[in-house]
Amino acid sequence: MIIKSHEIHTLKIAEIISDDIIIQSAQDGLDLMGDLYYQGFDKVILHEKNITPEFFDLKTKMAGEILQKFSNYRIGLAIVGNFNKYESKSMKDFIFESNSTRHVNFVSTVDDALNNFLK
């Protein structure tokens, strides 16, 4: 795993780069968030491919647990990927609601993630 740092104005943003799945459980998400917080990062960019597919099955409650932790600790999160493939209405609604809060965003590119953090 590589942490690529982006700095925009006073924001320090961590982009996680890896060929492996980094988040396999809610605890993995919490651990990653804590590690990055203590390194001074304000925001986090994760790629969909680095998150277990179970995250995108809302029945597991993993997505809700992880996103709630990021929200509680006020650490912005952007997940970059192609989310059109998820046909579940509940998942589409979840993504829409998350994007409307602006604290957690599902976006298609890293540039979109960085731009959303500026809003």
Side-chain angles (χ1 to χ4, degrees):
M1 176 176 87
I2 297 170
I3 300 171
K4 181 177 180 183
S5 183
H6 300 270
E7 291 194 34
I8 302 174
H9 305 295
T10 60
L11 291 177
K12 190 172 174 188
I13 304 164
E15 178 185 357
I16 306 305
I17 299 174
S18 177
D19 291 330
D20 300 320
I21 293 179
I22 302 298
I23 306 294
Q24 295 198 37
S25 68
Q27 187 61 49
D28 290 343
L30 183 59
D31 292 345
L32 179 66
M33 181 192 66
D35 290 346
L36 295 172
Y37 176 80
Y38 287 112
Q39 291 181 50
F41 289 101
D42 305 297
K43 312 283 184 185
V44 178
I45 299 172
L46 279 173
H47 293 268
E48 175 189 14
K49 70 179 184 177
N50 300 126
I51 304 171
T52 182
E54 285 79 22
F55 176 93
F56 298 97
D57 178 359
L58 294 181
K59 292 175 192 163
T60 68
K61 299 183 181 180
M62 187 187 306
E65 286 180 49
I66 292 173
L67 301 188
Q68 187 63 48
K69 295 291 185 192
F70 274 86
S71 293
N72 287 348
Y73 290 96
R74 291 185 160 78
I75 296 175
L77 174 65
I79 301 175
V80 176
N82 176 7
F83 305 104
N84 292 329
K85 64 185 170 195
Y86 299 106
E87 296 183 11
S88 158
K89 181 179 178 342
S90 57
M91 189 63 195
K92 287 180 188 229
D93 291 346
F94 183 82
I95 290 171
F96 178 80
E97 287 297 319
S98 294
N99 286 351
S100 67
T101 66
R102 296 222 174 268
H103 195 73
V104 174
N105 289 284
F106 292 81
V107 296
S108 57
T109 68
V110 171
D111 284 341
D112 289 342
L114 294 171
N115 287 330
N116 279 340
F117 286 142
L118 294 174
K119 293 179 182 178

